[in-house]
Amino acid sequence: MRSLPLTCNWFTYLLTLHMGIIQFYRTQSGRCPVEEFLDSLPDRDAQKAAWVLRLVEKLEIVPQQYFKKLVNTNDLWEIRVQIGGNSYRLLGFFDKSTLLILTSGFSKKQQKTPAKEIELASQRKRDYLQRRKHI
């Protein structure tokens, strides 16, 4: 049985093909949750998310308003997208020192990142690292 790739290398036409250091986690069944989340956003919000992803990818030092390590987690990071009154977060982790794997996205409604979102990102991180061992 052929194994599926662990990451998605594209989002939509909004992102260029220069996704060198950011990749999207792919489930074992082939779903790409981050891409599904981004595709569900209104066009203007998706365009802002794409802009922030490019910013995180291209800048050596990214302002905390766009990219921040989550405290009290197992090395999880968040990409922060703010547009109008809407706040979105994309959670992920580093594989090696330069490859950021984004595992999930959600609309942020409260000050604190929901525990269920942190647990989901942690579970997907474990899954990714486990499957990567067997490649």
Side-chain angles (χ1 to χ4, degrees), residues 5-12 15 19 22-27 31-36 38 53 79 90 99-104 128:
L6 298 176
T7 58
C8 301
N9 289 328
W10 54 278
F11 155 38
T12 64
L15 288 179
M19 293 295 286
I22 296 176
Q23 291 186 352
F24 299 163
Y25 165 85
R26 185 184 291 270
T27 67
R31 284 186 48 245
C32 194
V34 173
E35 185 175 282
E36 291 168 6
L38 293 170
L53 286 169
I79 291 179
L90 301 169
L99 179 63
L100 178 62
I101 306 295
L102 295 179
T103 60
S104 57
Y128 171 90

Side-chain angles (χ1 to χ4, degrees), residues 5-101:
L6 298 176
T7 58
C8 301
N9 289 328
W10 54 278
F11 155 38
T12 64
Y13 69 95
L14 296 172
L15 288 179
T16 66
L17 296 177
H18 181 68
M19 293 295 286
I21 64 164
I22 296 176
Q23 291 186 352
F24 299 163
Y25 165 85
R26 185 184 291 270
T27 67
Q28 193 160 3
S29 66
R31 284 186 48 245
C32 194
V34 173
E35 185 175 282
E36 291 168 6
F37 171 73
L38 293 170
D39 284 342
S40 75
L41 297 178
D43 287 345
R44 188 170 153 224
D45 296 9
Q47 288 172 354
K48 176 73 180 265
W51 180 84
V52 173
L53 286 169
R54 280 190 216 104
L55 183 97
V56 169
E57 186 177 53
K58 292 179 188 289
L59 293 180
E60 283 189 41
I61 299 174
V62 182
Q64 276 196 345
Q65 75 185 73
Y66 300 116
F67 189 58
K68 183 178 172 190
K69 185 176 184 309
L70 291 174
V71 295
N72 299 322
T73 65
N74 185 16
D75 290 325
L76 293 178
W77 292 75
E78 68 177 357
I79 291 179
R80 309 166 91 179
V81 179
Q82 180 76 35
I83 183 161
N86 297 322
S87 293
Y88 305 106
R89 298 294 186 264
L90 301 169
L91 301 184
F93 63 94
F94 281 97
D95 181 9
K96 311 272 191 263
S97 62
T98 60
L99 179 63
L100 178 62
I101 306 295

